[in-house]
Amino acid sequence: MDENTKQQIQRRRTFAIISHPDAGKTTLTEKLLLYGGAIQSAGSVKGKHGDKHATSDWMELEKQRGISVTSSVMQFEYEGYCINILDTPGHQDFSEDTYRTLMAADSAVMVIDAAKGIEPQTRKLFKVCAMRGIPIFTFINKMDREARDPFELLDELETEFGIGTYPMNWPISCGATFQGIYDRATRQVLTYDDFHAGRSRLETVAIPLEDEETLVERITETYLETLKEQAELLDGAGEEFDLGQVRKGKLSPVFFGSALNNFGVEQFLESFLRLTTSPLPRRNAEGGMVDPLDDHFSAFVFKIQANMNKAHRDRISFLRICSGKFQRGKEYYHLQGGKSLRLSRPQQMMAQERDVIDEAYAGDIIGVFDPGQFSIGDTVCEIGQNVRFAGIPTFAPEHFAIVEQIDSMKRKQFSKGMTEIAQEGAIQIFFYPNSGMERVVVGVIGMLQFDVLKFRMQSEYGVEYLRRDIAHELIRRVRNPEFNAEDYDLTSDTMWVKDVRGGDLLIFNGSWAVRWAEEKNPGLILAEFHQDIQEG
Ligand code: G4P
């Protein structure tokens, strides 16, 4: 590999920012973009208020609801690093996309509200990160407000998530009495003359912890005493810093700060970039690992987005480059399609704009127009290479509804829409065996996905339908060949459906119905829904 390509790959940092809604993910992302000079004013990334529009708000639905439904990628430069931030949806609802985005990241930044600690979605997202064993950095936000005790917050992370924590800095009080933060590596107290929510970095005064004379001029004495005690406690009783453990996702470096007021943000960004990894190797299902510094280009599709731009009706497939260098116009091989192809109009998100690009490197995400050839998890590589990426799981839906067409004149459009959207994998659509397509079962992870489906069926296929939510909540794959539900003793409300690939599934009204199926039918082989798409 030539030196330039190697350097380009090594300076890439691709990560996702995750949080429960309102913890401050958007604000932190915005500050990082501001520092990198990628956007000019605060508010550019916000999607919540008035006419400010979010960078990632492409779909009409997002604008109507003022939320970010899809995930996007933002690339910017900072002090020699080339940073790709993968944005995950920040609204109340979850989708498969949220999880899949994490499959494309090499590390994650978990934003936590200091007053609230771990919240339900932090928990869900953490699980996916832990499953992949990627480094997880924690930013405890909103220290300018009344916060929970920092020791208690660390304890919660450790006990709930079963990981070690290493506070990189330490807050000196919080809320109205907030005085600054203590940087453990340099043993300096960082104080600020003036908090502000603006774009520029904060004017920071750094004073060594030993320099008490200067410190007492800026920090209330009792807080200083407390800080000294706490710093000693951390050094004595806390975890050792171990980069190896950080890289394995077993030890989370923790930063306290306030995204809104800029404090702690710069220190966070700099430490984070230093400690996180350049693009990680990926498992090759054909055997071995794919090294990002391998000469040969390879990538996998982690997300398919329909209709991002009204002017183009095509879908855009997002590929995470895993090795080598991508060159526009070059012929590559689409493994699952068994065809060579040139990717048309490859694009990259440069903060606010989408640009057509000529080259991209391992760690980067590119979006390509896709007339329908790709499915989630597909591999694109150089001709003659034996690469097949493994490990994009599909997650079990948690809510189900029966969706029925209204207008029999639109039968074709209804079944085309449902089938195509099912193929994208953004929403799970199941079909009744031995019956027509006028009724299907839809499964989603977040209820909002029902709205996305409705909107897309209307706007892309011109179809209205009836939706009836059902109380069923558990889904299992059936591993028996030639399965027919009528041959088994199942509760009357258990539903037998097929997925888009023809696989058999059972949807149950509750865990007791699953138990019934298992107990009454010793020959029935049920498996978790969750599986690797590529193995499915
Ligand atoms: P999210 O993407 O994780 O959903 O959170 P977001 O950044 O949108 O932040 C949620 C709310 O919390 C916003 O207030 C934001 O201004 C506020 N916030 C973020 N970081 C901090 C912080 O460090 N300190 C304080 N005090 N507040 C913070 P909002 O009222 O919903 O929106 P806005 O009117 O401020 O834009």
Side-chain angles (χ1 to χ4, degrees):
M1 166 171 291
D2 64 88
E3 203 45 42
N4 178 47
T5 306
K6 195 172 160 192
Q7 271 177 15
Q8 286 289 358
I9 295 171
Q10 282 172 334
R11 74 189 190 90
R12 271 158 167 80
R13 297 291 181 272
T14 303
F15 63 96
I17 305 193
I18 60 177
S19 79
H20 189 85
D22 271 352
K25 182 172 67 71
T26 313
T27 312
L28 184 65
T29 306
E30 185 169 272
K31 290 301 157 77
L32 301 183
L33 292 174
L34 283 166
Y35 283 1
I39 54 171
Q40 298 311 316
S41 65
S44 318
V45 185
K46 277 257 165 215
K48 290 184 177 168
H49 307 288
D51 56 6
K52 295 174 193 169
H53 71 280
T55 305
S56 48
D57 277 6
W58 284 309
M59 286 175 75
E60 199 59 30
L61 177 72
E62 296 181 336
K63 282 192 212 133
Q64 285 171 10
R65 311 234 343 200
I67 44 166
S68 168
V69 180
T70 55
S71 335
S72 68
V73 188
M74 287 160 276
Q75 186 179 70
F76 68 98
E77 299 269 335
Y78 184 81
E79 299 193 347
Y81 294 101
C82 177
I83 299 164
N84 294 305
I85 301 186
L86 296 163
D87 185 22
T88 52
H91 52 75
Q92 295 294 336
D93 277 295
F94 253 51
S95 73
E96 288 257 305
D97 273 351
T98 313
Y99 292 135
R100 289 192 185 133
T101 296
L102 290 169
M103 300 295 137
D106 296 310
S107 65
V109 173
M110 175 164 72
V111 182
I112 285 178
D113 184 325
K116 297 187 175 146
I118 298 171
E119 294 178 86
Q121 291 197 15
T122 339
R123 223 167 259 131
K124 282 190 179 185
L125 288 159
F126 177 86
K127 271 194 202 147
V128 183
C129 296
M131 206 169 77
R132 291 208 42 225
I134 56 174
I136 300 165
F137 295 78
T138 308
F139 187 86
I140 299 189
N141 191 30
K142 306 197 185 180
M143 291 306 297
D144 59 313
R145 290 212 189 138
E146 285 312 308
R148 281 171 53 189
D149 175 62
F151 283 109
E152 193 188 298
L153 287 165
L154 296 184
D155 196 48
E156 183 173 275
L157 288 170
E158 296 194 351
T159 29
E160 273 223 35
F161 292 157
I163 48 164
T165 56
Y166 186 91
M168 303 295 291
N169 64 18
W170 198 253
I172 307 168
S173 190
C174 64
T177 56
F178 175 80
Q179 315 255 312
I181 51 176
Y182 167 63
D183 182 55
R184 291 184 66 201
T186 57
R187 297 187 66 79
Q188 285 187 330
V189 173
L190 309 178
T191 64
Y192 313 97
D193 287 325
D194 174 30
F195 303 153
H196 65 86
R199 63 160 304 195
S200 53
R201 296 165 189 221
L202 267 189
E203 212 48 55
T204 307
V205 183
I207 308 159
L209 186 63
E210 281 68 38
D211 183 0
E212 263 186 56
E213 244 172 73
T214 320
L215 275 178
V216 287
E217 286 167 21
R218 301 183 68 95
I219 304 225
T220 317
E221 217 168 327
T222 49
Y223 290 121
L224 190 56
E225 282 311 308
T226 312
L227 172 67
K228 286 200 313 213
E229 280 162 27
Q230 292 183 333
E232 207 167 299
L233 196 64
L234 289 171
D235 289 344
E239 296 252 358
E240 289 283 313
F241 186 80
D242 178 343
L243 188 58
Q245 292 295 93
V246 174
R247 295 275 168 92
K248 285 189 206 142
K250 303 256 186 260
L251 180 71
S252 180
V254 178
F255 301 79
F256 291 87
S258 162
L260 188 67
N261 293 294
N262 295 15
F263 63 74
V265 175
E266 204 176 323
Q267 289 84 11
F268 160 72
L269 180 59
E270 277 164 16
S271 307
F272 167 70
L273 291 173
R274 202 161 31 80
L275 300 176
T276 188
T277 66
S278 54
L280 291 172
R282 302 259 158 177
R283 190 157 68 87
N284 183 356
E286 302 293 329
M289 302 294 279
V290 177
D291 184 342
L293 297 177
D294 191 295
D295 266 329
H296 304 285
F297 163 83
S298 67
F300 69 89
V301 177
F302 69 96
K303 171 184 156 70
I304 295 172
Q305 173 77 62
N307 220 12
M308 272 167 47
N309 182 339
K310 271 253 156 200
H312 305 280
R313 305 294 297 178
D314 308 277
R315 316 192 297 180
I316 288 193
S317 287
F318 288 91
L319 290 98
R320 149 84 199 215
I321 304 179
C322 299
S323 65
K325 173 178 169 181
F326 167 80
Q327 286 167 294
R328 180 181 172 192
K330 189 169 166 175
E331 207 163 38
Y332 292 112
Y333 185 66
H334 173 214
L335 188 94
Q336 284 74 6
K339 280 198 284 224
S340 61
L341 47 75
R342 283 176 219 280
L343 299 174
S344 67
R345 305 202 40 213
Q347 307 195 355
Q348 212 162 30
M349 284 296 299
M350 305 292 285
Q352 312 234 55
E353 278 129 45
R354 275 193 279 154
D355 280 344
V356 173
I357 47 134
D358 291 321
E359 41 188 51
Y361 299 88
D364 287 342
I365 311 296
I366 52 172
V368 295
F369 282 104
D370 168 18
Q373 79 241 49
F374 292 126
S375 298
I376 299 283
D378 283 6
T379 299
V380 178
C381 60
E382 266 171 47
I383 297 167
Q385 287 299 298
N386 196 20
V387 180
R388 191 164 65 93
F389 288 104
I392 301 198
T394 168
F395 295 89
E398 292 167 17
H399 308 278
F400 296 89
I402 294 169
V403 165
E404 205 162 339
Q405 72 178 63
I406 303 172
D407 182 354
S408 60
M409 299 296 285
K410 298 216 166 152
R411 214 177 55 218
K412 262 201 179 140
Q413 289 93 316
F414 180 82
S415 79
K416 183 168 187 277
M418 287 295 173
T419 311
E420 286 181 0
I421 294 172
Q423 274 162 354
E424 279 173 32
I427 294 160
Q428 300 282 338
I429 297 174
F430 306 104
F431 307 95
Y432 287 99
N434 316 318
S435 93
M437 274 284 296
E438 55 290 331
R439 232 167 19 120
V440 295
V441 179
V442 178
V444 296
I445 287 177
M447 292 293 282
L448 186 75
Q449 292 298 312
F450 283 133
D451 295 351
V452 173
L453 179 67
K454 180 164 182 258
F455 178 83
R456 289 192 53 189
M457 287 296 284
Q458 274 170 352
S459 69
E460 290 169 45
Y461 302 92
V463 176
E464 303 277 345
Y465 58 70
L466 278 178
R467 180 183 116 210
R468 186 161 57 83
D469 294 349
I470 51 178
H472 292 59
E473 53 187 24
L474 292 170
I475 183 161
R476 295 283 185 273
R477 290 185 191 279
V478 179
R479 294 293 188 210
N480 301 64
E482 312 285 323
F483 176 76
N484 185 338
E486 284 164 17
D487 301 340
Y488 294 85
D489 180 0
L490 303 167
T491 55
S492 60
D493 53 8
T494 297
M495 294 166 76
W496 171 31
V497 292
K498 287 188 176 275
D499 65 14
V500 72
R501 293 157 190 252
D504 291 294
L505 299 116
L506 290 174
I507 306 178
F508 298 96
N509 202 345
S511 52
W512 68 276
V514 181
R515 271 201 306 280
W516 175 286
E518 284 169 342
E519 279 162 21
K520 303 275 177 187
N521 307 279
L524 179 66
I525 313 164
L526 296 181
E528 288 296 317
F529 180 84
H530 174 114
Q531 62 170 12
D532 282 1
I533 286 185
Q534 287 145 328
E535 290 162 11

